[in-house]
Amino acid sequence: MSNTVFIFPGQGSQKVGMGKDFYDNSALAKEMIETASERVGFDFKHLLFEENENLEQTQYTQPAILLVSLIAHRLFTEHSTVAPIALLGHSLGEFSALSATGAMDYLDAVELVYRRGLLMKQACEGINAGMMALLGLDDESVEAITCKERESGKKVWAANYNGDGQIVIAGNKDDLASLESVFKDSGAKKAVLLAMSVASHCPLLISAQAPLETYLDQWMKDAFVAPIISNVTASAYQAKTEAKHLLSEQLVSPVKYKQSILHVEDSVDMFIEFGGSVLKGLNKRITQKPTHSIVDMKSLEEVLALF
C-alpha cells in the first residue's frame, strides 16, 4: 500500500457548481448538504449550485469549500481502506483536515469555519484590507521588501508561501497597491491585487484569535487518527492542545504550504486532494510526487482505481 497524504484546498478554489455531481449521484452527499444547511441556517444548494454573490464572501466561502471537501473525503473513505500517513490543508483546508482526521464532527466544522469567516470579516471592517499575488520573486526578496516597508509605516506582510516564485501578501490595500512598482522593479513578473476584502494570515486579524480558540475548545475532540501538518510550523501535530494554539496562530501567521509539502515529500508516494484541484496545480511546482484530485464521481472512481 502506498504512503499517501490527504490534502484539502482553501479559499480561491470555490466555483459555482462545486459538489453538484456528488449531490446528484450520492445519497450521502445529499444528506450532508441538507443537514449542513439546517445547521447554519442557509441553503448550501443555492450557495453551491446557483449564481450568487455570497460564494465570494469569506463567511460563506469557507463552509462551502470545507463541506465539499469533506463530502469528497467521506465518499472516498466509504469505498477505500487507505489510511493517510498525514493530512494537511491550505489555510481553511487545515480545518477540513482536522475534521477528516476525526478531531471534529463535520457539522461542527461547518459552523466553526462559518464563524471563523465572520470573525475575519469583522476584524477587517473599516481598515481597507486586501491581498496581492506576486509571481517571480523568491521568498527572501519578498520578506526583505515587506519588512523594510513595515519599518516605514506600511502594513504589508507575506501571507501565503504557495510555491517557488509564487507568494501572496496581505495588509492594507492602499499600501499593497503602492508597492506594485517596487515589487516589479525587484524582479516580480506580476503583482496583482486580489478581489478580497480580508487580509488573511497577518496581524490585522489579531482580534479574531481569542474567539476562534473558544470555538475550537468547544467543538474539537482529542481524537486524531493521523497527524496534521501545521500551516504555521510545517511540522506535525496530533493533539487538541496543539491544534487550538496553532489554528489560532494561523490567523496571523503566513501559510507555509510549500514548506509543508516539502516536509512530507520524502515519505510520501502520492497526494490526494479532496474537493478541488488548486493544490494539484501548486504541487506541480513543488514536488515530483503525483497529486490526484477528487472533484466529482468520475474522479472519485479514478482515484479509487489506483489502489
Side-chain angles (χ1 to χ4, degrees):
M1 186 66 68
S2 61
N3 289 330
T4 305
V5 169
F6 291 176
I7 61 177
F8 300 85
Q11 288 194 82
S13 63
Q14 70 274 10
K15 60 182 178 181
V16 174
M18 60 189 291
K20 181 77 163 58
D21 193 54
F22 293 143
Y23 182 86
D24 289 343
N25 294 284
S26 165
L28 172 63
K30 188 173 184 179
E31 179 188 354
M32 289 178 71
I33 286 173
E34 292 177 350
T35 307
S37 298
E38 293 173 7
R39 174 65 178 261
V40 292
F42 56 81
D43 187 358
F44 274 103
K45 296 192 300 295
H46 172 69
L47 181 65
L48 292 167
F49 308 149
E50 301 172 21
E51 291 291 342
N52 67 93
E53 296 180 355
N54 284 345
L55 190 58
E56 298 301 323
Q57 297 183 34
T58 188
Q59 70 269 33
Y60 298 109
T61 310
Q62 295 193 38
I65 294 169
L66 175 136
L67 180 57
V68 173
S69 289
L70 292 180
I71 288 170
H73 175 260
R74 282 280 294 276
L75 291 174
F76 177 80
T77 57
E78 276 213 331
H79 297 93
S80 173
T81 58
V82 173
I85 60 169
L87 304 88
L88 65 92
H90 189 291
S91 184
L92 159 73
E94 191 168 345
F95 291 82
S96 305
L98 191 75
S99 183
T101 199
M104 187 177 294
D105 178 79
Y106 86 92
L107 289 174
D108 291 340
V110 167
E111 183 171 350
L112 173 71
V113 299
Y114 170 64
R115 292 183 180 275
R116 177 179 182 259
L118 286 173
L119 291 170
M120 292 169 67
K121 180 183 178 184
Q122 291 162 4
C124 290
E125 284 175 350
I127 61 173
N128 195 28
M131 303 186 79
M132 174 181 275
L134 300 175
L135 296 179
L137 281 182
D138 59 75
D139 299 353
E140 292 76 15
S141 296
V142 174
E143 289 159 3
I145 293 169
T146 53
C147 181
K148 179 181 177 182
E149 296 297 333
R150 285 198 302 275
E151 290 173 355
S152 67
K154 286 185 168 30
K155 295 180 178 179
V156 289
W157 295 268
N160 298 339
Y161 293 94
N162 291 334
D164 289 341
Q166 188 171 342
I167 301 175
V168 176
I169 59 174
N172 176 275
K173 194 172 291 185
D174 290 336
D175 290 347
L176 294 170
S178 74
L179 296 178
E180 180 180 350
S181 60
V182 174
F183 287 119
K184 288 186 174 178
D185 289 346
S186 298
K189 296 175 182 176
K190 283 187 178 181
V192 182
L193 279 172
L194 302 176
M196 296 187 69
S197 57
V198 296
S200 301
H201 308 294
C202 76
L204 296 181
L205 293 184
I206 194 168
S207 65
Q209 286 186 283
L212 179 65
E213 274 204 53
T214 299
Y215 292 134
L216 285 163
D217 190 55
Q218 176 182 348
W219 285 318
M220 191 165 30
K221 299 171 284 188
D222 216 342
F224 293 65
V225 298
I228 293 178
I229 308 301
S230 166
N231 281 186
V232 175
T233 63
S235 298
Y237 65 89
Q238 200 169 354
K240 178 177 178 177
T241 52
E242 292 176 279
K244 280 174 53 184
H245 169 69
L246 289 168
L247 290 165
S248 170
E249 282 300 303
Q250 192 218 60
L251 282 171
V252 298
S253 304
V255 170
K256 295 179 178 177
Y257 181 75
K258 174 184 70 174
Q259 296 90 332
S260 296
I261 294 296
L262 293 175
H263 177 80
V264 298
E265 182 182 36
D266 289 344
S267 57
V268 68
D269 298 312
M270 74 169 69
F271 298 90
I272 300 177
E273 178 180 6
F274 293 92
S277 57
V278 169
L279 301 185
K280 180 178 180 178
L282 294 182
N283 281 8
K284 288 180 180 178
R285 303 170 63 94
I286 302 170
T287 178
Q288 297 295 312
K289 302 294 176 66
T291 300
H292 303 281
S293 297
I294 298 176
V295 296
D296 53 23
M297 299 302 286
K298 180 183 178 183
S299 55
L300 171 64
E301 292 171 4
E302 289 171 349
V303 175
L304 287 170
L306 298 172
F307 300 97

